[in-house]
Amino acid sequence: MKLRELAHSRTGDKGNTLNVSLICHDAQHYEHLRAEVTPERVKAFLGDVVLGDVVRYELPHLAAFNFVLGKALGGGVTRSLALDAHGKSLSSALLALEVAKPA
């Protein structure tokens, strides 16, 4: 199933770093997504765009995660020639990740 069926996402940027939040639609899916959506999987899935490290911060009381993606904006908003210099479309791209269906 697609990640978007279990969560939604938002993004924010600072320089060449992108923050992608992942918020569970239902808190009962938090542990499942914790196991499924690892920094390594996010890096592999967005690897053509994310050239730096991916760090995941866990927010269990909010049933959410914050992924910090380094070197993800082509040098930063003011330097990038990308059509989406802010990286907003990467939240939609991440939601296309295939995850196992929760039990």
Side-chain angles (χ1 to χ4, degrees), residues 1 6 8-9 13 21-22 24-25 44 47 49 52 61-62 69 77 83 92 94 98-99:
M1 71 186 313
L6 299 174
H8 61 98
S9 182
D13 59 84
S21 64
L22 185 65
C24 298
H25 294 309
V49 178
H61 295 298
L62 299 175
L69 290 65
V77 172
L83 294 175
S92 292
L94 180 60
E98 288 286 336
V99 296

Side-chain angles (χ1 to χ4, degrees), residues 56-93:
R56 178 178 74 182
Y57 294 93
E58 300 178 7
L59 303 150
H61 295 298
L62 299 175
F65 305 92
N66 183 41
F67 291 90
V68 178
L69 290 65
K71 299 181 184 174
L73 297 173
V77 172
T78 59
R79 297 183 63 197
S80 177
L81 298 176
L83 294 175
D84 179 23
H86 293 275
K88 302 295 184 191
S89 64
L90 286 181
S91 63
S92 292

Side-chain angles (χ1 to χ4, degrees), residues 35-52:
E36 287 283 319
V37 189
T38 64
E40 295 78 18
R41 282 200 71 199
V42 170
K43 170 80 172 164
F45 190 69
L46 300 175
D48 291 343
V49 178
V50 180
L51 305 178

